[in-house]
């Protein structure tokens, strides 16, 4: 190893130190990590070797539209996963969801509200741990391609088709699937054909192309985003599940949305957090240099 190059990252050292502290406390000894000299040493290590900050590339509106257009909703073999991924990415963007929030939702959390869109009850989130936070709304879109309620109705009906009519029902539901006309006004199936309220709305899909009863994981959301971007022919490096949320904030800021308007959808508690997005993704918004005539 070259001189001056650290063998371990600061985070690795901190993790080792935490393990040492835990073992000392378990044996009723004073943890060495709490000694002032050790604390000062750790602060110096972090200051001299700060970790690189990795920001997810934003899934902007144009890229979102390109990604959705590349999803074939009529492909019977991949109809379930394609329909799910379509709704997942669109909801993740419009709702500015964190990956964990999105996959934690159940069927009972969704309600189609006339003249509003899809209202989603938030169970728990990073900033709302008690489960009684304000709902998110996926509003009706003028473009069928990016209309969240259309994607909601499509995914709901396809899951019902499999549950009540099997593969033949799915085939019927998929053969006329299209994104150039609105289907949100068709509503949900009759009550006797509704999904189990306790079932996950975004389920995993089996290798045979059928919806399963298990819930999609937060890690899988990032893989879905990267996979779908690659299918557009673009490099997916830098994209993750957080790209949908970052893309929403970027587009909202470019459209002139205020801090309060953005926070109402993202669920941020502090406008200071939005400044990070401003510096990273929209550096010219509210920047004095734009007022100078160059």
């Amino acid at each position: 190893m070259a001189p001056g190059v650290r063998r371990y990252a600061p985070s690795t050292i901190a993790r080792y130190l935490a393990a040492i502290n835990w073992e000392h406390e378990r044996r009723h000894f004073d943890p060495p990590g709490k000694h002032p000299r050790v604390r000062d040493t750790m602060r110096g290590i972090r200051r001299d070797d700060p970790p690189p900050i990795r920001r997810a590339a934003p899934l902007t509106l144009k890229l979102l539209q390109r990604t959705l257009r590349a999803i074939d909703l009529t492909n019977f073999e991949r109809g379930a996963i394609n329909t799910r991924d379509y709704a997942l990415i669109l909801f993740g963007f419009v709702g500015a969801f964190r990956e964990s929030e999105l996959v934690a939702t159940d069927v009972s959390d969704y309600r189609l509200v006339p003249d509003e869109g899809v209202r989603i009850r938030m169970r728990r989130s990073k900033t709302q741990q008690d489960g009684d936070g304000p709902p998110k709304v996926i509003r009706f879109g003028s473009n069928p391609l990016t209309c969240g309620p259309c994607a909601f109705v499509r995914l709901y009906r396809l899951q019902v088709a499999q549950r009540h009519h099997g593969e033949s029902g799915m085939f019927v539901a998929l053969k006329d699937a299209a994104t150039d006309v609105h289907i949100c006004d068709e509503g949900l199936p009759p009550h006797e054909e509704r999904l189990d309220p306790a079932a996950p709305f975004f389920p995993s899909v089996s290798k045979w192309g059928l919806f399963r009863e298990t819930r999609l994981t937060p890690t899988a959301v990032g893989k879905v985003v990267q996979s779908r971007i690659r299918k557009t022919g673009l490099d997916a490096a830098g994209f993750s599940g957080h790209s949908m949320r970052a893309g929403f904030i970027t587009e909202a800021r470019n459209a002139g949305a205020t801090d309060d308007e953005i926070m109402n959808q993202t669920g941020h508690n502090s406008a200071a957090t939005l400044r990070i997005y401003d510096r990273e993704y929209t550096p010219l918004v509210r920047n004095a240099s734009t007022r100078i005539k160059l």
Side-chain angles (χ1 to χ4, degrees), residues 183-216:
I183 62 169
C184 49
D185 55 352
E186 297 178 7
L188 300 179
H191 282 281
E192 60 271 16
E193 294 187 356
R194 296 290 174 89
L195 296 172
D196 179 1
F201 186 69
F202 290 105
S204 57
V205 176
S206 71
K207 62 181 180 180
W208 294 283
L210 299 175
F211 293 113
R212 303 173 65 184
E213 296 181 356
T214 55
R215 192 179 303 275
L216 198 65

Side-chain angles (χ1 to χ4, degrees), residues 150-161:
C150 283
F152 167 70
V153 170
R154 187 183 299 113
L155 178 56
Y156 194 107
R157 285 182 170 273
L158 186 60
Q159 293 188 66
V160 166

Side-chain angles (χ1 to χ4, degrees), residues 27-48:
R27 300 189 183 191
H28 306 290
F29 292 115
D30 292 334
K34 294 184 178 181
H35 192 280
R37 289 185 180 178
V38 177
R39 288 183 172 180
D40 289 343
T41 300
M42 287 302 301
R43 277 195 290 267
I45 291 174
R46 294 190 181 98
R47 181 179 61 250
D48 295 341

Side-chain angles (χ1 to χ4, degrees), residues 47-111:
R47 181 179 61 250
D48 295 341
D49 190 15
I53 299 177
R54 296 184 178 89
R55 305 286 186 199
L59 183 70
T60 59
L61 180 58
K62 286 186 177 181
L63 181 53
L64 171 71
Q65 293 171 335
R66 180 172 175 174
T67 301
L68 297 179
R69 288 193 184 98
I71 300 177
D72 183 5
L73 298 177
T74 61
N75 185 317
F76 177 70
E77 292 183 355
R78 297 186 55 81
I81 195 169
N82 286 357
T83 303
R84 184 206 64 189
D85 289 358
Y86 190 106
L88 183 76
I89 293 175
L90 183 54
F91 273 43
F93 175 89
V94 180
F97 279 97
R98 298 179 179 89
E99 302 97 299
S100 58
E101 296 171 347
L102 196 56
V103 299
T105 56
D106 294 338
V107 170
S108 61
D109 296 326
Y110 291 76
R111 187 157 61 94

